[in-house]
């Protein structure tokens, strides 16, 4: 595997703008136990390829790696969020919401999800995360209201309906 990583790194030197190759190289590095190198590679790519107002899928790859890596610091996720504060605030709020979830900071989950939804009302992932955070705070009526929004937005998906019934029942909203 280490030899494959070297080949990927060589290829990436020849094609530094190839996002897919960058992701593949980072994942290979992580699989070989070089998580810090994978994180640094993705951070460097994201810094060099910033496009104001445009979402960068690799930001979410890096976020996932940072959240999965027990050794990754809170500062690393915050650094990623700050990278997008001005260019794509939805990404910044997503980073902070996921970090808050990781640390069971339900008030921060709510704050970041609501800020994200104010910018991107159609973000079903943020809405789901918000509803789950409200459930963790035992704010069942609020969670039911958010779940109801998901039921309306995703009529063909049975999952929000069950989650809505759970939250409404917990709120004793028969």
């Amino acid at each position: 595997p280490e030899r494959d990583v070297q080949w990927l790194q060589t290829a990436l030197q020849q094609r530094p703008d190839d996002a897919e190759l960058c992701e593949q190289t980072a994942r290979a590095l992580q699989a070989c136990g070089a998580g810090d190198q994978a994180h640094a590679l993705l951070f460097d790519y994201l810094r060099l390829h910033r496009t104001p107002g445009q979402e960068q899928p690799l930001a979410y790859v890096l976020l996932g790696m940072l959240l999965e890596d027990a050794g990754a610091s809170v500062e690393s996720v915050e650094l990623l969020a700050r990278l997008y504060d001005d260019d794509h605030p939805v990404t910044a709020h997503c980073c902070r919401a996921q970090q808050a979830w990781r640390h069971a900071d339900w008030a921060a989950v709510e704050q970041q999800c609501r800020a994200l939804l104010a910018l991107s009302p159609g973000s079903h992932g943020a809405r789901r995360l918000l509803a789950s955070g409200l459930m963790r705070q035992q704010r069942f009526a609020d969670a039911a209201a958010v779940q109801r929004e998901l039921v309306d937005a995703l009529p063909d998906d049975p999952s929000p309906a069950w989650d809505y019934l759970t939250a409404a029942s917990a709120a004793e909203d028969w």
Side-chain angles (χ1 to χ4, degrees), residues 25-42:
T25 305
R27 290 191 187 282
L29 283 165
Q30 188 175 35
C32 289
D36 289 345
Q37 283 181 276
H39 304 162
L41 176 67
L42 290 171

Side-chain angles (χ1 to χ4, degrees), residues 47-161:
R47 283 186 194 104
L48 291 172
H49 295 86
R50 290 175 61 184
T51 307
Q54 187 174 12
E55 192 170 51
Q56 283 282 357
L58 281 183
Y60 296 100
V61 171
L62 177 55
L63 176 61
M65 286 182 177
L66 292 171
L67 293 172
E68 289 172 11
D69 184 352
S73 67
V74 172
E75 291 81 19
S76 296
V77 175
E78 181 57 29
L79 182 63
L80 179 59
R82 281 196 306 263
L83 187 62
Y84 288 96
D85 273 334
D86 295 328
D87 293 347
H88 199 264
V90 167
T91 300
H93 289 302
C94 180
C95 291
R96 291 184 178 109
Q98 293 292 335
Q99 180 72 358
W101 182 271
R102 180 181 187 198
H103 293 283
D105 183 348
W106 310 124
V109 168
E110 179 180 4
Q111 176 189 18
Q112 293 301 321
C113 286
R114 290 198 187 279
L116 190 159
L117 288 166
L119 297 170
S120 179
S123 177
H124 303 311
R127 204 169 303 285
R128 283 186 167 113
L129 193 64
L130 172 60
S132 294
L134 292 168
M135 288 292 287
R136 299 285 176 122
Q137 294 179 70
Q138 297 185 358
R139 291 175 50 198
F140 304 122
D142 293 335
V146 173
Q147 288 294 355
R148 182 70 213 176
E149 293 171 5
L150 281 167
V151 169
D152 293 342
L154 303 168
D156 296 330
D157 184 352
S159 181

